[in-house]
Amino acid sequence: MSKKNPWVFLDLSMNGSPAQRIVIEVSLYVLSNNSLCWLYVSSTCIMDLQLFADIVPKTAENFRALCTGEKGKSTTGTPLHYKGVKFHRIIKGFAVQGGDISKQYGKTGGESIYGETFEVVFGRVISGMDFVLKIDQLGTLEGKPSGLVEVTDCGQLSEAEKNNMMESD
C-alpha cells in the first residue's frame, strides 16, 4: 500500500441491502471499455481502492474522477460518476464487473473523463473481501448476475482516512 496514491471508495448494495465497503489496491488488469472489474486474486461492500497514479496516471485519474463525480457530465450528457451503476457481469469464482455509466450493461457502453472509451486498470482487494465473496455467490457461468449489485455512493478518501486504514493494518 502506498500513501502517495489516491484512494477512492465504492459503497455497494447487494439486493437492496445496506451498503458495505471494500478496499482494493490497483494492479494491471486491463479492460477494453470503462468497466470496473475485480479479480479474485487477493472484493464487494463499501470499496476503498488504491489507485496507482504514479504508474498509470491517466487511468488512475479517470477512475478517481468517476468516483468523485467532479467532472460533471460527458459531451453526451451522461453523469461522469459511478453512483447508481449496477454490476452487469458476475462470473462465480472469477470476476465482478460493472461501471458502464452510460448503458449499464457493459457490452458497448462506458464513458470516461477523456471521451467515450478508455481502459481501466486496478486490482487487489485490501479489505472487504468477505462481501466480495457474498457478491460472488450471485455469479453464473454466463456472467448474468442472479441478483442486483449497485454502487450507492463513491468518492475519494481523505489523507486522514488513508492514514487510519494504514495504521490499523
Side-chain angles (χ1 to χ4, degrees):
M1 292 187 290
S2 170
K3 287 177 70 173
K4 63 184 170 185
N5 290 318
W7 290 12
V8 297
F9 67 87
L10 297 174
D11 296 348
L12 302 178
S13 174
M14 183 172 69
N15 290 325
S17 65
Q20 297 184 44
R21 182 165 285 172
I22 296 178
V23 179
I24 297 173
E25 184 176 10
V26 178
S27 66
L28 297 177
Y29 183 62
V30 181
L31 298 176
S32 60
N33 60 21
N34 210 37
S35 295
L36 310 177
C37 189
W38 293 271
L39 291 179
Y40 292 105
V41 176
S42 125
S43 231
T44 312
C45 337
I46 296 171
M47 280 203 246
D48 292 322
L49 308 173
Q50 180 186 2
L51 303 174
F52 288 167
D54 55 341
I55 298 171
V56 286
K58 284 184 73 173
T59 298
E61 176 56 16
N62 180 63
F63 191 78
R64 188 200 65 75
L66 288 174
C67 287
T68 66
E70 67 192 54
K71 301 294 184 181
K73 294 186 177 187
S74 71
T75 56
T76 65
T78 300
L80 292 170
H81 201 281
Y82 286 131
K83 189 172 182 176
V85 166
K86 294 161 185 65
F87 285 24
H88 59 271
R89 185 173 179 231
I90 302 173
I91 301 173
K92 192 171 182 175
F94 175 63
V96 175
Q97 188 175 356
D100 181 347
I101 62 175
S102 56
K103 300 209 170 50
Q104 297 284 326
Y105 62 84
K107 299 210 187 273
T108 60
E111 293 190 62
S112 78
I113 65 170
Y114 304 114
E116 288 199 26
T117 59
F118 190 77
E119 290 178 339
V120 173
V121 179
F122 71 97
R124 186 173 69 89
V125 174
I126 296 170
S127 72
M129 188 62 176
D130 56 333
F131 190 72
V132 171
L133 294 175
K134 288 179 185 176
I135 289 176
D136 183 56
Q137 296 303 307
L138 299 176
T140 62
L141 289 174
E142 301 79 32
K144 182 177 168 95
S146 63
L148 176 67
V149 179
E150 181 176 6
V151 178
T152 60
D153 198 12
C154 47
Q156 183 171 354
L157 295 179
S158 69
E159 287 301 314
E161 290 169 312
K162 285 171 53 175
N163 291 335
N164 286 340
M165 287 188 69
M166 293 182 81
E167 289 171 6
S168 65
D169 284 342

